[in-house]
Amino acid sequence: MELLNYLHTGFSVALQPINLFYCFVGVFIGTLVGVLPGIGPVGAMSLLLPITFKSTPESAIIMLAGIYYGTMYGGSTTSILVNIPGEAASVVTCLDGYQMARQGRAGPALGIAAFGSFIAGTFAIVGLMLMAPPLSKFALRFGPPEYFSLMFLGMTILIYLAHGSMLKALLMATIGIVLGLVGLDSINARPRLTFGRMELMDGIGLAPIVMGLFGVSEVLLNIEKEIQIKTFDTKIKGLLPTAKDWQESKWALVRGSLLGFFLGILPGGGGVIASFITYAVEKKVSKHPERFGKGAIEGVAAPEAANNAAAGGAFIPLMTLGIPTNAVIALLLGAFMIHSVQPGPLLMKQNPGLFWGVVTSMYIGNIMLLVLNLPLIGIWVQVLKVPYKILFPLILLLCLIGVYSISNTVFDIYIMVVFGVVGYLMKKFEYEGAPLVLAYILGPLFENNLRKSLIMSQGSSSIFFLRPISAIFLILAFVILISPLIPGIGKKRDVVAALTEEND
Amino acid sequence: MKIKKWGSGVFVGFFFFSLFFAFQAMAADFPTKPVTLICPWPPGGAVDTFFRVYAESTKKYLGQPVIIENKPGGAGTVGPAAMAATAKPDGYTVAQISVTLFRYQHMMKVDYDSLKDFTYILGLSGYTFGVVVKSDAPWKTFDELIAYAKDNPGKITYGSPGAGTTQNITMERISKDRGIKWIHVPMKGTGENMPALLGGHINVAADSTGFAPYVDSGQMRLLVTFGEKRTKKWPQVPTLKELGYGIVVESPFGLAGPKGMDLKVVKILHDVFKKGLEDPETLKILEKLDMLYAYKNTEDYVKQVKELFEEERILVEKLGLKKN
Amino acid sequence: MRRADLFSSVFWIILGGLICKWGYRLDLGTLSEPGSGFIIFWMGIVMMGLSLSIFLITLFRKIEPVKRASLWSGVRWHKLIFVLVSLLLYTYVLVPLGFLLSTSLLLILLFKFIEPQKWSIAVAGAILTVFISYAIFHLWLGSQLPKGILEFFMR
């Protein structure tokens, strides 16, 4: 009953015309920013922050939150259409999404991404409403040892990410880890592998790496050959997912939502890890794992659901503890402060109208996003009909502006071009980019938490086994590592074949 | 061929036009166009939030917009360093100068000289730092904590927002001065430091006012602050200076342009940014973010910069942070 | 793939060795207290191990599993290099010339020379694209694109 009261409070705020307007503006800008690679929610929100100075805190937060979850909807569009991941969480979407587009199934891919986003987003709001306080307590139990073990578990799923040679995938992962460690050592502020460049002090950015490895390299591969009149040989088949598509992806959506929501609560890129993990899980449970990487719709549905659910989950530590879990949430925290509202344990009591107003506005925003995005699919697939000779300069331009607008430095464009060449050579020599990106993201967290844990325990590694959550993750990782060796568990993956090469 | 000529004609035209406008600008008074303020931190942090409000208030007095440009990196040093290297000293580009600019110069090889490459304009503000413990921790005062740490070397773990941050350096100064041994766990920012303390993964946290909500809600206890005076918000909490540690840390920051700015332009910018700082909106956000009002005129700020530079040199040497 | 794999694995072995060296110089620390270079050093070792295995497996595998066309057959090198060089040049002039001018030039080059089209289409397409992207990114979303010598047009 109490909940109904709260909902009533919430909707009475969220349904005010001015707040509906702010919500729409938020999700609209969010969609736009999400579709454009590079410029992300952080940039857009900080620029719009001054506009909200004059409005009520409710309107301001509703709009800014709308931008945030709005970008999660649009993030997959360029991954699917032109192989440029709009953000880290969409790297996995490229793997099967782009392949679907090449087979003329861009419509269903975009469709399942939109519906998946809606379903997972709504699920996350319900979770946020019902379970925020207990979950925030659970998140606090994650200290350095728990993070270390989670990252270790994350690394083991590399096994399922590779679809070519396992040795080569592992090799790419080691390079990803090393790339991730460039910059100031977070333990002792010592520059590592910076070669005396100030620009490398904060490490190599994610955007130049993924846009180079995926976007630029794809363009290079396409222009080296005689360009055909059309981009893709096949006709565009259908705009929406078919009944068969739904059948194939329904459980992927459920699993993606659940994992994304819970991992999204954790500070430090939970959404990205969730998108990779759900992809691996889908491949593992699938009866046809060989379809992954060649346009399996589950491979789009699961990570897209995961990153939207994670966006919802990330609000829990902000609203209940006042802890920002990522840069976007940190910006929201700033917006709260400007309006003299202190998010944290007292928010629900002191400002029920704001708390529930924002939460319920997310329901409305999600519906708006679905209505906004479905008709757009028809427009997006037209992009694929543009002749490649016109399209490829535009793709390059998007990458250039995207990378520049994140850091405002041309150094990052040089990095992107270098990774474009690297990515091109990698495709020629049959190395995969996804394990590199995953390791690049997890590597620094892995190293940092390992060293922090050992500082805490004064050098005793028992800290990883004595803490229950950490121990569970390590056991899971161990099971994953040995599963290919046990017949019966390792269904499809023949270890010998995996370790040598699977040429298909 | 006709179109080719037409195309190049357009470019020549563009070029000519821009030159024309450039001469126009030089003849007129300062400022005739927006002033860019480089915020060397990513969007969304306390400093960024402050500057966005501050820019809005300053606009009124400047008669031109103040555009915030984020150039994050190297703990606030990449932005000013890039400005010193590339921007014209015409007053249209200024940057936030934080203490790290001086510290890094002593710690590692950098491509700027903070005493020579900048025209300092005015001092603005500083931070409130403090030490917090969980509210169920046994230590009621900072002295109790120090006494415990003295009797139990290596038992206390403290978190800071990162290695080499002012919080970290101050805690190390205290441990050096008092001959205690506590273990530093470098976190990535306040966002990691606070949950680590709440979750009981560390015993103590040194941080800036990111701890405010937890102190106000009773989940954490603030033991000491590092400022010159007690804070307005928590007047019952003593300062390090009062407790006899002889340490005052406020990490003041201000604005500077590239070297060689016209003194008239510096005067105009100083006056305008001073008015902006004293604007009620700016004062309100300073208080909300628990940042200090620490205005210094151009002369005093230049003096302070020299002092800070020297202070950081001594600290870096004393704590053995000098690299290679 | 055989020759390509041999080449690439040798490259990785060398890179792995370099990474080892860099990691070693950064202070390894101990197992109970890893230093700055610990993980980097071991990643170098693992990298060398993995690429050495690829090298040996490829070397001793007698038959090529699937025959494939050469990696480089039909590659239009000049086009590839043209695009890369124009990207690098663009990056070089982006700040001094500003977004509007340098991007227009880049797009004209790309439209005109990769798959030649009429000058009118190339120039008009480039200017239109630059204008639209400028409107979206700079005016609307407020990205801080470089102004360069046309700064009076970019408010």
Side-chain angles (χ1 to χ4, degrees):
Chain A
M1 260 346 260
E2 210 181 359
L3 188 66
L4 280 182
N5 267 333
Y6 288 142
L7 278 180
H8 182 256
T9 321
F11 275 114
S12 64
V13 173
L15 287 173
Q16 285 165 17
I18 181 77
N19 289 339
L20 281 176
F21 172 72
Y22 271 101
C23 186
F24 178 76
V25 172
V27 297
F28 182 75
I29 295 174
T31 304
L32 179 68
V33 167
V35 169
L36 299 170
I39 179 161
V42 180
M45 283 162 71
S46 57
L47 288 156
L48 288 166
L49 201 57
I51 299 175
T52 67
F53 287 174
K54 303 262 153 22
S55 59
T56 64
E58 286 83 3
S59 307
I61 305 293
I62 284 174
M63 182 180 88
L64 294 172
I67 298 180
Y68 178 37
Y69 56 78
T71 50
M72 295 295 150
Y73 269 73
S76 55
T77 309
T78 46
S79 312
I80 292 169
L81 294 176
V82 284
N83 206 30
I84 310 174
E87 22 139 16
S90 313
V91 169
V92 207
T93 312
C94 281
L95 300 180
D96 281 279
Y98 184 61
Q99 291 307 321
M100 282 182 75
R102 301 206 78 160
Q103 293 156 15
R105 304 209 333 118
L110 290 165
I112 205 76
F115 281 114
S117 298
F118 175 73
I119 293 165
T122 310
F123 169 81
I125 303 163
V126 176
L128 174 62
M129 256 170 37
L130 298 178
M131 298 185 288
L135 281 177
S136 64
K137 288 218 179 65
F138 177 73
L140 282 182
R141 295 185 58 186
F142 273 72
E146 284 76 16
Y147 278 111
F148 166 79
S149 304
L150 178 64
M151 297 310 143
F152 187 74
L153 175 63
M155 297 264 201
T156 58
I157 63 164
L158 271 171
I159 295 178
Y160 299 106
L161 269 182
H163 66 267
S165 155
M166 178 64 61
L167 282 176
K168 284 182 172 177
L170 291 173
L171 189 61
M172 286 299 105
T174 57
I175 292 166
I177 292 176
V178 173
L179 283 175
L181 295 181
V182 171
L184 283 189
D185 181 345
S186 55
I187 300 290
N188 54 20
R190 204 175 154 167
R192 294 195 281 189
L193 309 180
T194 56
F195 305 100
R197 298 290 309 210
M198 282 293 273
E199 295 95 333
L200 286 175
M201 212 72 100
D202 290 285
I204 304 175
L206 175 69
I209 294 184
V210 295
M211 289 199 203
L213 279 186
F214 289 82
V216 175
S217 74
E218 186 66 28
V219 169
L220 294 179
L221 281 172
N222 282 328
I223 53 167
E224 70 166 28
K225 297 273 185 295
E226 221 47 65
I227 297 175
Q228 265 87 52
I229 295 137
K230 247 196 302 169
T231 325
F232 304 123
D233 308 332
T234 31
K235 278 218 182 76
I236 291 161
K237 302 169 202 147
L239 288 183
L240 290 176
T242 60
K244 182 166 163 282
D245 292 333
W246 278 107
Q247 189 63 31
E248 281 171 351
S249 48
K250 62 180 182 202
W251 289 110
L253 290 174
V254 173
R255 285 185 285 258
S257 304
L258 277 168
L259 267 170
F261 179 68
F262 286 106
L263 289 172
I265 298 167
L266 302 174
V272 184
I273 300 166
S275 68
F276 276 99
I277 289 186
T278 46
Y279 184 85
V281 167
E282 290 315 310
K283 194 170 173 183
K284 171 77 187 159
V285 300
S286 169
K287 288 195 186 79
H288 304 284
E290 71 283 353
R291 282 171 46 245
F292 280 76
K294 297 190 190 104
I297 197 158
E298 307 97 290
V300 177
E304 279 308 306
N307 70 38
N308 276 274
F315 276 91
I316 291 184
L318 173 73
M319 298 280 220
T320 57
L321 299 168
I323 292 168
T325 48
N326 57 41
V328 187
I329 296 287
L331 220 142
L332 273 174
L333 187 66
F336 274 105
M337 305 286 267
I338 287 175
H339 288 281
S340 305
V341 181
Q342 183 66 66
L346 302 176
L347 180 68
M348 272 163 131
K349 280 184 213 124
Q350 287 174 348
N351 268 305
L354 176 67
F355 180 89
W356 294 102
V358 171
V359 171
T360 47
S361 83
M362 292 188 201
Y363 281 114
I364 300 165
N366 259 293
I367 294 167
M368 286 179 181
L369 278 167
L370 191 66
V371 174
L372 200 65
N373 274 274
L374 286 182
L376 279 178
I377 294 173
I379 299 171
W380 293 133
V381 295
Q382 298 303 316
V383 170
L384 298 179
K385 288 188 183 158
V386 176
Y388 201 73
K389 59 182 179 180
I390 304 284
L391 191 58
F392 90 89
L394 306 183
I395 297 176
L396 286 178
L397 181 62
L398 272 184
C399 293
L400 290 168
I401 301 181
V403 163
Y404 184 84
S405 64
I406 290 177
S407 56
N408 298 324
T409 147
V410 289
F411 185 78
D412 279 4
I413 305 187
Y414 285 121
I415 301 245
M416 179 182 78
V417 175
V418 168
F419 275 95
V421 176
V422 170
Y424 168 81
L425 292 174
M426 276 166 61
K427 285 198 185 110
K428 285 278 173 184
F429 288 94
E430 298 187 344
Y431 290 90
E432 292 164 70
L436 188 152
V437 175
L438 177 68
Y440 164 86
I441 293 164
L442 298 189
L445 292 165
F446 175 83
E447 196 236 12
N448 180 264
N449 285 297
L450 168 70
R451 288 168 66 190
K452 271 196 295 213
S453 307
L454 288 173
I455 290 174
M456 280 166 60
S457 70
Q458 303 195 29
S460 159
S461 52
S462 62
I463 190 168
F464 301 114
F465 304 100
L466 294 178
R467 309 196 11 156
I469 300 175
S470 166
I472 291 170
F473 285 144
L474 287 181
I475 292 168
L476 272 175
F478 183 68
V479 170
I480 290 179
L481 280 177
I482 61 160
S483 68
L485 302 171
I486 303 168
I489 299 181
K491 272 190 291 201
K492 291 273 180 248
R493 187 163 278 280
D494 180 359
V495 176
V496 186
L499 281 176
T500 54
E501 196 159 347
E502 290 173 356
N503 276 303
D504 37 26
Chain B
M1 274 327 272
K2 215 175 182 180
I3 289 155
K4 193 175 174 184
K5 268 187 194 152
W6 174 80
S8 55
V10 168
F11 288 129
V12 172
F14 270 161
F15 187 72
F16 185 75
F17 254 99
S18 63
L19 276 183
F20 173 74
F21 275 101
F23 283 121
Q24 282 273 299
M26 264 179 235
D29 280 330
F30 181 87
T32 53
K33 56 173 184 169
V35 170
T36 301
L37 198 164
I38 296 176
C39 171
W41 308 96
V47 183
D48 180 68
T49 309
F50 161 72
F51 273 116
R52 286 186 191 278
V53 176
Y54 183 37
E56 277 296 297
S57 344
T58 308
K59 198 168 119 185
K60 281 183 280 193
Y61 308 104
L62 188 66
Q64 288 281 351
V66 178
I67 298 167
I68 302 292
E69 191 175 313
N70 297 97
K71 256 203 175 52
T77 59
V78 167
M83 175 189 74
T86 58
K88 276 183 268 168
D90 54 6
Y92 291 110
T93 317
V94 294
Q96 187 228 20
I97 303 291
S98 45
V99 177
T100 42
L101 191 77
F102 315 128
R103 187 179 301 150
Y104 271 43
Q105 197 175 336
H106 301 300
M107 276 168 67
M108 57 190 80
K109 205 177 132 270
V110 292
D111 43 15
Y112 61 83
D113 180 343
S114 44
L115 293 185
K116 287 192 192 135
D117 292 346
F118 298 93
T119 308
Y120 291 93
I121 300 168
L122 82 166
L124 296 177
S125 170
Y127 304 90
T128 302
F129 298 113
V131 174
V132 284
V133 294
K134 254 180 106 176
S135 44
D136 55 8
W139 314 289
K140 304 283 179 229
T141 66
F142 192 65
D143 285 332
E144 277 178 46
L145 176 69
I146 294 292
Y148 180 89
K150 192 150 191 132
D151 295 342
N152 301 279
K155 277 267 157 48
I156 296 276
T157 49
Y158 79 89
S160 79
T165 54
T166 304
Q167 294 90 321
N168 169 213
I169 286 187
T170 309
M171 291 297 272
E172 291 307 308
R173 268 171 88 179
I174 295 170
S175 83
K176 264 244 154 74
D177 290 351
R178 294 286 156 132
I180 53 178
K181 185 171 177 276
W182 48 23
I183 291 164
H184 176 226
V185 186
M187 299 293 173
K188 279 190 188 148
T190 306
E192 210 178 277
N193 204 11
M194 292 296 104
L197 182 68
L198 284 179
H201 306 292
I202 46 176
N203 310 110
V204 180
D207 216 307
S208 49
T209 43
F211 49 64
Y214 317 102
V215 173
D216 292 343
S217 67
Q219 286 170 298
M220 286 184 190
R221 184 161 47 238
L222 181 60
L223 296 181
V224 70
T225 54
F226 297 176
E228 176 75 40
K229 280 180 276 186
R230 291 192 180 201
T231 53
K232 258 191 238 155
K233 200 168 187 177
W234 305 287
Q236 74 285 5
V237 179
T239 62
L240 275 179
K241 194 180 168 194
E242 277 176 57
L243 295 176
Y245 289 84
I247 296 174
V248 174
V249 182
E250 293 180 335
S251 281
F253 65 82
L255 294 180
K259 69 173 166 197
M261 272 167 67
D262 188 347
L263 284 179
K264 269 180 268 169
V265 172
V266 173
K267 176 87 175 60
I268 295 171
L269 283 176
H270 164 271
D271 293 351
V272 165
F273 275 107
K274 177 171 189 264
K275 279 185 200 140
L277 186 66
E278 281 159 0
D279 190 86
E281 288 293 320
T282 315
L283 293 176
K284 218 165 81 191
I285 191 73
L286 277 178
E287 198 182 320
K288 265 176 227 157
L289 296 166
D290 300 296
M291 286 168 30
L292 310 168
Y293 169 83
Y295 161 73
K296 286 233 167 6
N297 67 31
T298 308
E299 203 181 312
D300 291 346
Y301 186 49
V302 171
K303 216 161 80 196
Q304 188 185 32
V305 163
K306 286 188 183 134
E307 283 165 18
L308 286 169
F309 184 81
E310 203 47 31
E311 214 170 274
E312 289 298 328
R313 188 181 62 80
I314 294 166
L315 266 181
V316 164
E317 269 166 27
K318 191 170 153 194
L319 298 174
L321 294 167
K322 203 166 172 68
K323 300 286 151 35
N324 308 323
Chain C
M1 242 6 241
R2 193 182 147 120
R3 272 206 12 217
D5 275 351
L6 290 179
F7 272 125
S8 65
S9 54
V10 169
F11 172 78
W12 297 123
I13 292 176
I14 296 169
L15 185 66
L18 276 176
I19 287 172
C20 268
K21 193 177 112 190
W22 294 330
Y24 186 76
R25 280 217 219 121
L26 275 169
D27 164 35
L28 295 183
T30 58
L31 238 143
S32 60
E33 209 195 323
S36 296
F38 184 82
I39 297 273
I40 297 177
F41 176 78
W42 282 104
M43 281 305 125
I45 299 273
V46 172
M47 208 175 199
M48 285 198 288
L50 287 169
S51 36
L52 191 66
S53 333
I54 296 178
F55 184 82
L56 293 177
I57 288 172
T58 320
L59 198 64
F60 289 108
R61 195 179 46 209
K62 290 265 157 48
I63 29 159
E64 185 92 354
V66 185
K67 276 277 170 205
R68 252 180 278 204
S70 157
L71 275 183
W72 311 109
S73 70
V75 173
R76 302 188 301 172
W77 284 109
H78 55 291
K79 305 266 167 183
L80 210 60
I81 289 175
F82 185 87
V83 170
L84 284 174
V85 169
S86 35
L87 280 180
L88 291 175
L89 270 179
Y90 171 79
T91 318
Y92 188 71
V93 300
L94 178 61
V95 171
L97 287 189
F99 173 78
L100 294 179
L101 201 53
S102 44
T103 312
S104 310
L105 292 174
L106 173 78
L107 288 178
I108 293 173
L109 280 180
L110 294 180
F111 279 136
K112 182 68 199 164
F113 292 110
I114 301 298
E115 293 292 313
Q117 7 206 336
K118 282 185 200 145
W119 271 107
S120 53
I121 294 182
V123 172
I127 290 179
L128 188 70
T129 311
V130 168
F131 177 74
I132 293 173
S133 54
Y134 168 74
I136 294 179
F137 283 95
H138 194 84
L139 298 181
W140 204 9
L141 294 173
S143 292
Q144 298 154 348
L145 300 171
K147 300 187 179 85
I149 56 174
L150 294 183
E151 67 176 297
F152 290 94
F153 293 102
M154 290 183 80
R155 278 287 158 89

